[in-house]
Amino acid sequence: MPSRRRFLSLSTFALPSLGLPTLFGGKSAALKPIVVSTWDSGVTANNGAWPVLKAGGHALDAVEQAGIAIENEPSCCVGLEANPDRDGHVTLDACIMDDRFNCGSVVFLERIKHPVSVARKVMETTPHVMLAGAGAQQFALQNGFALEPVKLSADAQKAYQNWLKKSEYKPVINIENSPKTKPSRKGNGPFAPSYFDDGTPNHDTMGTIALDVSGNVSGMCTTSGMAFKLHGRVGDSPIIGAGLYVDNEIGAVVCTGQGEEVIRMAGAHLAVELMRQGKSPEAACREVVERIVKRDPERAKTFQVALIALNKSGEVGAYAIQKEFSYTVTSGETPTKVFPSKSYFG
Ligand code: ASP
């Protein structure tokens, strides 16, 4: 993990600092691809995406592979073995968006291993953007996806049993800096911390945005949603414009954290529009965070929202309400690195 000072100097990936050619008027037309994912478990996602980008493939294929990689990882809080809702059901949400405003989404999907790929099928083979619940599952089965058994990971099972003791419905998410829930960096899987020391689940979402060698941008978001949510609840992650937005003239943004707060602000779309107005990726993410905080500064102390952004020049930025948010960057020039995000409270 880089020191804070080093992070500050690297937190914006300016093209010249990576020795990359510029898009407009540069010496070379070739761009270096880059992929950025939320959290340190973004390493798994980026590892899925990178071979596609490295081979000159399309950003859309890369982000789908990122989603598949993380949905295959049982120690991360997304996918079939992740945290259930308050009634014990794992319900998955995902979306994907390409460089031509094509987008697809599935919500409240049960027992299908790769919601990100179902979302892509919705995008590519139907006239619709979003399918929900039993209809989304039926569509997946008709398109060759298998119906998987119901199975929670050991961590998710433990966390759910713990939660059932009080069954307190507190839709609070990702408060990494709470003294009560300060996470152990020991972790439960390859990446820490999927769960806090007291068994409270941490983040539940993986978002990935990528720029390919042809200069095209795409993004995806996949999640089991907020742990122990009301049955039927859907957050920001599969909502185009809230959890994810891509405009190939500008760049891409993906969000994580308390989805209700992101939806109110149309967080990802707002950040893309702020970049259109000339803000850097980090400044755009910061302004979205500030608007969320401004709505209720006291309450904002109790939840997390974080955004990552990538512009067409390959610059990356992030901002979060609470500290402890991190994001993972893989590009041609550097090995994969995890960076701590700047935060509003911190
Ligand atoms: N944004 C997700 C949701 O609200 C949760 C998360 O990012 O951890 O469902």
Side-chain angles (χ1 to χ4, degrees):
M1 187 76 74
S3 69
R4 186 151 187 94
R5 174 183 268 181
R6 177 150 171 73
F7 163 65
L8 290 176
S9 68
L10 285 175
S11 62
T12 295
F13 271 72
L15 280 172
S17 70
L18 281 176
L20 304 182
T22 54
L23 256 183
F24 309 107
K27 284 187 203 129
S28 157
L31 269 171
K32 294 283 190 214
I34 185 166
V35 55
V36 191
S37 294
T38 51
W39 308 106
D40 53 358
S41 44
V43 172
T44 297
N46 285 11
N47 286 345
W50 185 246
V52 177
L53 293 175
K54 196 176 165 200
H58 197 284
L60 180 70
D61 296 322
V63 297
E64 184 189 8
Q65 288 306 315
I68 289 170
I70 203 74
E71 288 163 357
N72 276 337
E73 173 56 70
S75 69
C76 182
C77 283
V78 311
L80 277 177
E81 296 185 32
N83 295 306
D85 64 19
R86 64 189 305 186
D87 298 340
H89 301 273
V90 175
T91 67
L92 304 176
D93 306 324
C95 71
I96 193 162
M97 189 164 187
D98 75 4
D99 53 295
R100 296 168 51 81
F101 299 107
N102 295 310
C103 44
S105 163
V106 285
V107 305
F108 194 52
L109 177 63
E110 291 183 73
R111 297 183 59 187
I112 300 291
K113 190 161 190 182
H114 292 303
V116 69
S117 298
V118 185
R120 182 168 177 175
K121 269 271 183 264
V122 172
M123 172 176 103
E124 290 179 337
T125 68
T126 80
H128 309 305
V129 166
M130 186 180 285
L131 291 181
Q137 190 189 70
Q138 183 185 33
F139 172 81
L141 298 180
Q142 282 164 354
N143 281 279
F145 293 86
L147 194 63
E148 303 286 341
V150 175
K151 178 176 170 252
L152 297 183
S153 72
D155 282 332
Q157 185 66 41
K158 193 172 136 204
Y160 182 53
Q161 291 306 326
N162 226 4
W163 179 83
L164 280 177
K165 285 181 201 154
K166 286 193 186 163
S167 299
E168 257 182 326
Y169 183 57
K170 276 198 207 151
V172 171
I173 205 162
N174 301 347
I175 310 172
E176 285 84 353
N177 66 347
S178 150
K180 180 179 164 276
T181 55
K182 188 76 189 154
S184 147
R185 283 283 164 189
K186 280 179 255 136
N188 327 73
F191 308 107
S194 291
Y195 292 84
F196 295 109
D197 285 347
D198 69 351
T200 309
N202 192 0
H203 48 84
D204 303 277
T205 299
M206 176 54 57
T208 300
I209 46 185
L211 173 72
D212 66 29
V213 75
S214 307
N216 290 316
V217 183
S218 298
M220 77 87 206
C221 195
T222 183
T223 189
S224 56
M226 184 186 288
F228 321 134
K229 60 197 174 188
L230 275 173
H231 190 56
R233 178 264 185 190
V234 173
D236 62 317
S237 303
I239 312 277
I240 298 296
L244 173 73
Y245 199 68
V246 178
D247 181 330
N248 206 45
E249 279 185 8
I250 307 298
V253 175
V254 69
C255 306
T256 183
Q258 188 144 326
E260 285 74 4
E261 305 302 328
V262 177
I263 291 171
R264 284 186 231 289
M265 296 296 156
H269 185 263
L270 175 57
V272 167
E273 289 306 304
L274 290 165
M275 289 198 288
R276 191 192 306 280
Q277 291 167 19
K279 290 199 186 291
S280 70
E282 182 186 301
C285 295
R286 189 178 68 232
E287 183 159 338
V288 175
V289 161
E290 284 169 356
R291 288 200 199 183
I292 292 170
V293 173
K294 192 175 160 198
R295 177 175 172 261
D296 190 339
E298 266 313 298
R299 220 177 67 74
K301 291 178 186 162
T302 67
F303 63 82
Q304 174 69 299
V305 166
L307 301 90
I308 58 172
L310 169 67
N311 70 16
K312 283 283 283 183
S313 304
E315 294 173 328
V316 175
Y319 212 80
I321 297 181
Q322 315 290 346
K323 62 185 181 180
E324 300 280 349
F325 174 60
S326 59
Y327 61 101
T328 304
V329 179
T330 307
S331 76
E333 300 293 310
T334 53
T336 291
K337 283 187 181 163
V338 178
F339 295 95
S341 169
K342 291 184 193 169
S343 57
Y344 188 91
F345 298 115

